[in-house]
Amino acid sequence: MSLSREISCDVLVRYDAGRGQLRQIMEQVFEKTPGVEDKDKAFCRELTNETVRRLNTLDWALQQFSHMDLGKLEPAVLGVLRLGACQILFMPERVPSYAAVNESVRLAKKHGHAGVASFVNGTLRSLERKKASLPWPPEKDNPVHFLSLVYSHPEWLVQRWHDVLGAEECAALLKKNNEAPDLCVRVNTLRKNRHELF
């Protein structure tokens, strides 16, 4: 799984730098990395997509435990932190927290000195310990800001949906929008009919 995380970090850095669409960047990185197994590609896609989907929330949560401004970090170090935080907060059934932290520290060592690895270790361990009691801003003070952070959507979009749908339906839509899409299969009826395929 370490190779998957290395690739994910590379993809995130390129994506943050505006070097193209996420899927396109990922395929380019896969091409230039020989010997990547299908299971590693699958995990890389899952981790990278989930990290980008939850970026707003991840950055806010990380900033609660980082003694440095995230905007001042090297892009690769920020990528490592985001990937680790994503695994801790949104993939606990897939990746144990200790593995997320250990692999992130290992990856940080490749992108910096011992102090960088120590910083990543401390930040992610603090996040892991306190993830159940994150200091979310009070919902009643600013429901749009709260929903934007919890569900990682831009405030302008949350405001629009909140105005049209109300708080409850808006929250349900934001939650659903964060779920991975279902796999759909469409039959090319020019080649086969549905009964032949299934």
Side-chain angles (χ1 to χ4, degrees):
M1 294 286 187
S2 299
L3 181 58
S4 309
R5 291 176 176 90
E6 283 182 44
I7 292 170
S8 291
C9 188
D10 190 6
V11 171
L12 282 182
V13 169
R14 291 164 183 255
Y15 180 73
D16 266 359
R19 295 191 193 162
Q21 294 182 342
L22 190 62
R23 176 184 269 172
Q24 174 192 25
I25 294 169
M26 207 175 306
E27 294 310 317
Q28 288 169 353
V29 175
F30 285 150
E31 271 182 39
K32 76 174 191 114
T33 313
V36 186
E37 295 182 19
D38 288 344
K39 65 178 180 146
D40 290 326
K41 287 182 180 179
F43 180 72
C44 178
R45 285 187 181 101
E46 180 186 0
L47 176 57
T48 308
N49 286 330
E50 189 67 14
T51 300
V52 170
R53 187 181 296 125
R54 305 286 190 158
L55 218 47
N56 189 26
T57 306
L58 294 173
D59 285 354
W60 175 83
L62 284 166
Q63 195 61 73
Q64 306 308 304
F65 303 104
S66 170
H67 63 271
M68 291 181 67
D69 182 350
L70 297 184
K72 294 181 178 175
L73 297 176
E74 288 292 321
V77 175
L78 180 57
V80 169
L81 279 172
R82 286 170 166 172
L83 291 169
C86 181
Q87 292 167 85
I88 290 167
L89 295 176
F90 299 111
M91 301 173 72
E93 71 293 333
R94 182 96 160 78
V95 182
S97 290
Y98 72 86
V101 174
N102 290 344
E103 291 297 326
S104 297
V105 170
R106 203 171 286 152
L107 192 52
K109 286 177 182 173
K110 291 187 172 188
H111 293 287
H113 50 78
V116 170
S118 178
F119 166 69
V120 167
N121 184 49
T123 304
L124 291 179
R125 286 199 187 282
S126 295
L127 174 64
E128 198 280 324
R129 271 194 316 272
K130 298 176 182 175
K131 65 182 178 182
S133 59
L134 283 170
W136 300 106
E139 184 175 4
K140 62 182 183 340
D141 291 355
N142 188 340
V144 169
H145 180 60
F146 174 81
L147 291 171
S148 172
L149 283 180
V150 171
Y151 295 108
S152 201
H153 280 65
E155 279 197 43
W156 66 265
L157 182 60
V158 176
Q159 183 70 63
R160 184 177 295 175
W161 288 352
H162 191 273
D163 291 347
V164 173
L165 302 171
E168 200 172 306
E169 277 190 61
C170 177
L173 179 58
L174 293 167
K175 183 178 180 184
K176 187 70 177 167
N177 202 37
N178 275 334
E179 293 174 9
D182 294 329
L183 178 64
C184 296
V185 178
R186 192 174 123 203
V187 179
N188 182 345
T189 54
L190 298 175
R191 294 178 176 243
K192 286 185 186 273
N193 67 40
R194 189 168 180 259
H195 302 291
E196 288 175 320
L197 189 64
F198 298 107

